[in-house]
Amino acid sequence: MTAMTGRSAGGHVVIAGAGMAGLRAAERLRAAGWDGAVTVFGAEPHLPYNRPPLSKELLAGAVGAGGVREAHAATAFRRRANIDDVVWEPGARIVRACLAAGTVTLEDGREVGCDGLVVATGLRPRRLRAPGTHPARHVLRTVEDAVALRDRLRPGARAVVVGGGFVGCEVAATARGAGCEVTVVEPMPEPMGLVLGPELGRSLRRHHEERGVRFRVGRTVTELAPDAVVLDDGSEEPADLVVESIGSLPNVEWLDGNGLDLSDGVLCDGLLRAEGRPGVVAVGDVARFPNPRYDGVPRRVEHWCVPADTARRAAATLAAQLRGEDPAAAGDAPFAPVPSFWSDQFGLRVQSFGAPGLGDRCELVEGDLRRAASGIAMVYHRDGRPVGVVLAGIPASRHRPYRDLVAGAPAPV
Amino acid sequence: MRVVVDLATCQDHGQCAIAAPEAFRINDAGALEYDGSPGEEHREHVEEAADVCPVQAITIED
């Protein structure tokens, strides 16, 4: 039997995941008054770092030039002084949990006891499933991924980006900026269409096309060849490198066998408690939680703001539970954050507030869709109520009223 | 408290101005202006502003 460590007299909280969500959870646990032991275990060999530059400045070589060490140094998060006594174990992946016994097991066989568990294990890239092989298949999630891809972005290199979501379009813009010949393959009629709708998606596609990116929309990849990808209409796109940007999968397998609903991330209630298991909360893009601002439907949200928002609520919940108090009486209730995200594509800043993807109708309130770079504001309505707004090329000094438009009181459910 | 923004890193996202309007604002030209020594009573908001900066350009030095 392996030695068990980590259960201390004051209680021990294990944070599974040392990304931004794990970092914010540690900070927020301390802010919520938890002064017992906290250990953060991370699968990656790094302390927490900021991922958005991986598809932008870092990929373009504007910051973090050199190797993985320099790239990580350029993106590492500052850590607040209030977590100086938190123990960090990067490069220590948790492979199993027994929640009834209050233990987690690390890849090296160590078993660690915990009184509270924060699930912050994030996502991994979904991989393209197609027959055949290509010698330069890339994904973009980690700093290692970004350095490997950056080193391939040479002038004249033919890059096929599979998937025209936000990350795919950012990679396409960065690769084009590096002088690559870039083609985006997207199954939907327009890139980023699921979130932005076809009108704004088309507008941003035009923005890309005018800068030399080609799009193959309504197409999927059916086969890989050594120097090309084959599409579902039988055509071939020559490819020196292939970037797979077709979404992500939650890292939850290590929680199997504990009676949790892991069908798409960790199903949580409105206080970020994992359903059916006291002492377990989830934060970041692995958490599936309801936002009463919109409806009661639990969703995972893959935005940069989510780790900070969910960590605040989850830490208040867990700290209260560990003290034997009612978590509903601690922290914000109901928990109804205003989501936001941004994207940079060829110097065009796209800023979203609210949940445009939930809209059933969109309304152009500013600008000309044929000229996105001149400034566009699109408001998304659901059942006649504004639920999201997307701004493109609008300076931040003019964002506030648009955010306020979609950040009013949550609708009654 | 003492606040420093690395203006070479700042990309004028404006998230800080939403989190801590007492200390940060985006001017009409779209550029950041900030108070380098905001009152201690604003610490929670300023810490929040530093957290939500997408490019992590804000440092709180005490």
Side-chain angles (χ1 to χ4, degrees):
Chain A
M1 177 151 178
T2 50
M4 184 145 73
T5 56
R7 183 118 49 187
S8 62
H12 183 212
V13 171
V14 163
I15 299 178
M20 186 187 189
L23 170 66
R24 295 290 180 248
E27 292 170 343
R28 289 296 165 183
L29 275 169
R30 287 291 183 248
W34 171 251
D35 56 8
V38 177
T39 309
V40 188
F41 295 100
E44 290 186 59
H46 306 292
L47 290 171
Y49 60 93
N50 199 22
R51 294 188 200 276
L54 302 188
S55 56
K56 310 179 186 77
E57 301 91 333
L58 190 80
L59 193 60
V63 301
V68 168
R69 181 188 300 269
E70 290 79 9
H72 177 261
T75 52
F77 280 114
R78 78 184 183 116
R79 283 179 289 155
R80 287 192 191 194
N82 75 346
I83 57 167
D84 282 349
D85 59 350
V86 167
V87 176
W88 293 84
E89 291 213 29
R93 183 193 304 272
I94 297 176
V95 294
R96 201 162 49 249
C98 180
L99 300 180
T103 61
V104 297
T105 305
L106 302 175
E107 208 163 22
D108 66 7
R110 267 188 298 159
E111 197 168 273
V112 178
C114 57
D115 304 284
L117 176 65
V118 180
V119 179
T121 37
L123 312 175
R124 63 181 181 276
R126 185 190 300 273
R127 297 307 303 253
L128 184 62
R129 283 162 57 163
T133 58
H134 189 284
R137 295 175 62 174
H138 291 262
V139 292
L140 191 53
R141 177 73 185 173
T142 67
V143 70
E144 286 84 357
D145 294 338
V147 169
L149 178 57
R150 182 188 67 195
D151 292 347
R152 288 272 189 170
L153 299 183
R154 300 280 176 239
R158 297 167 301 176
V160 171
V161 179
V162 183
F166 284 94
V167 172
C169 285
E170 288 183 358
V171 169
T174 304
R176 183 65 189 146
C180 297
E181 299 296 324
V182 182
T183 302
V184 177
V185 180
E186 163 59 40
M188 299 280 291
E190 297 294 347
M192 300 169 280
L194 278 181
V195 173
L196 302 182
E199 296 89 348
L200 189 48
R202 187 176 309 121
S203 174
L204 294 181
R205 172 163 62 85
R206 192 175 291 126
H207 180 74
H208 276 257
E209 287 172 342
E210 287 167 359
R211 287 153 184 82
V213 175
R214 292 177 63 239
F215 281 82
R216 298 293 311 272
V217 295
R219 296 265 79 92
T220 58
V221 172
T222 55
E223 192 178 340
L224 295 167
D227 58 358
V229 299
V230 183
L231 305 190
D232 58 347
D233 62 352
S235 63
E236 289 195 8
E237 289 293 339
D240 299 312
L241 64 146
V242 178
V243 183
E244 302 173 22
S245 188
I246 54 173
S248 303
L249 299 170
N251 293 319
V252 292
E253 290 80 359
W254 61 281
L255 286 164
D256 279 345
N258 287 288
L260 302 180
D261 182 336
L262 305 174
S263 51
D264 179 25
V266 178
L267 177 62
C268 298
D269 67 11
L271 300 176
L272 279 316
R273 293 179 291 201
E275 289 283 5
R277 185 63 70 172
V280 180
V281 295
V283 300
D285 40 24
V286 78
R288 182 158 57 101
F289 62 96
N291 187 338
R293 183 172 295 282
Y294 304 109
D295 50 36
V297 179
R299 295 183 180 88
R300 289 194 310 103
V301 183
E302 298 179 13
H303 296 345
W304 186 84
C305 64
V306 168
D309 289 341
T310 52
R312 184 194 306 270
R313 180 57 259 183
T317 296
L318 187 56
Q321 286 184 330
L322 290 166
R323 285 193 294 259
E325 297 167 5
D326 174 13
D332 298 339
F335 174 61
V338 179
S340 70
F341 70 86
W342 82 97
S343 177
D344 291 320
Q345 301 173 23
F346 289 114
L348 180 66
R349 167 77 39 82
V350 178
Q351 173 70 53
S352 169
F353 297 108
L358 295 183
D360 50 39
R361 181 175 70 83
C362 66
E363 176 191 8
L364 182 71
V365 297
E366 189 175 332
D368 179 345
L369 287 172
R370 289 166 301 184
R371 294 186 299 119
S374 301
I376 284 176
M378 185 78 90
V379 176
Y380 297 76
H381 301 268
R382 185 189 208 190
D383 300 328
R385 188 172 68 95
V387 291
V389 59
V390 177
L391 310 170
I394 303 260
S397 54
R398 297 181 43 228
H399 287 183
R400 188 75 199 218
Y402 284 116
R403 183 183 185 276
D404 290 346
L405 179 70
V406 298
V413 179
Chain B
M1 63 193 301
R2 208 170 109 72
V3 175
V4 175
V5 179
D6 178 351
L7 292 173
T9 300
C10 173
Q11 295 179 358
D12 303 317
H13 279 268
Q15 295 293 313
C16 54
I18 292 173
E22 311 87 351
F24 303 92
R25 76 181 273 268
I26 302 291
N27 67 23
D28 291 341
L32 175 71
E33 293 175 352
Y34 72 103
D35 177 356
S37 46
E40 189 59 33
E41 68 275 21
H42 301 308
R43 177 171 290 274
E44 185 52 37
H45 283 180
V46 173
E47 293 267 8
E48 171 81 10
D51 281 356
V52 300
C53 172
V55 293
Q56 297 287 291
I58 301 172
T59 308
I60 298 164
E61 299 200 327
D62 63 6

